[in-house]
Amino acid sequence: MNPILEATETGLVTDEQTVRDYDELREPAKAALPAAVEREAVSIPEAAAEDLTDGEVVRFTGYYRVSIGQ
């Protein structure tokens, strides 16, 4: 079963949080993030999940906290 990616827009980013830019992601994660932003949750390939850390914040069209689940 493929991992499930959720991307939730977050308004506040603290100094303690690490924020990665969309451009820093590898291609599989770059392909997966826009779909997760548009929908509540999407199934993604394992290669995309390997480039994302559960709970991290990615700057895309806004700041999004990503969640990876099964």
Side-chain angles (χ1 to χ4, degrees), residues 8-49:
T8 307
E9 192 163 15
T10 181
L12 296 175
V13 179
T14 65
D15 291 339
E16 293 82 36
Q17 292 174 303
T18 300
V19 177
R20 286 204 299 166
D21 286 320
Y22 175 77
D23 292 341
E24 294 178 77
L25 302 176
R26 289 187 223 127
E27 289 305 317
K30 280 184 179 179
L33 186 64
V37 167
E38 286 183 22
R39 299 179 216 121
E40 288 185 22
V42 294
S43 177
I44 60 171
E46 200 61 51

Side-chain angles (χ1 to χ4, degrees), residues 20 48-58 65-68:
R20 286 204 299 166
E50 290 172 359
D51 191 33
L52 298 166
T53 303
D54 190 50
E56 79 174 313
V57 175
V58 178
R65 182 172 319 286
V66 297
S67 297
I68 307 289

